[in-house]
Amino acid sequence: MPEKRPLPWRPGVETSAEVEIGGDSRKKQIRFGCLLATRRDIIDPPRLSCSNGQGKFALCVGLEGYFKGACASCQALQKNSVNSEHH
């Protein structure tokens, strides 16, 4: 997957050392969230959590059919879409 954009950090979000290394992170969920955020399509309209300003990324980005429906922000925060109110 070619890179489409740099990591779209949400303004004011504190990034941990693990997240700052993005695609090289040792935690799978963080690594996949960063890869989604930089390489996949923007979800429009954004999911509930993204439209409410939650998550590390300013864009709601995802890949249909993968990561239990989690967008990049939820994946990086190690959440999934089992709770339908979250997405």
Side-chain angles (χ1 to χ4, degrees):
M1 290 184 282
E3 188 172 312
K4 292 183 175 187
R5 70 190 67 78
L7 282 168
W9 297 116
R10 184 177 301 283
V13 167
E14 291 289 324
T15 56
S16 67
E18 289 176 332
V19 175
E20 286 177 16
I21 58 175
D24 295 327
S25 173
R26 285 175 272 152
K27 287 193 171 184
K28 278 194 306 188
Q29 295 90 343
I30 295 170
R31 182 173 63 242
F32 290 144
C34 291
L35 289 170
L36 280 174
T38 58
R39 288 168 169 75
R40 299 314 301 168
D41 295 326
I42 295 171
I43 298 170
D44 189 31
R47 296 188 173 142
L48 183 60
S49 58
C50 290
S51 62
N52 286 335
Q54 298 174 346
K56 296 205 175 275
F57 303 120
L59 301 173
C60 187
V61 181
L63 180 59
E64 192 67 37
Y66 290 85
F67 308 111
K68 298 181 182 178
C71 66
S73 282
C74 292
Q75 186 66 28
L77 291 171
Q78 301 174 15
K79 297 179 181 179
N80 62 43
S81 67
V82 171
N83 178 353
S84 62
E85 290 182 350
H86 184 67
H87 281 275

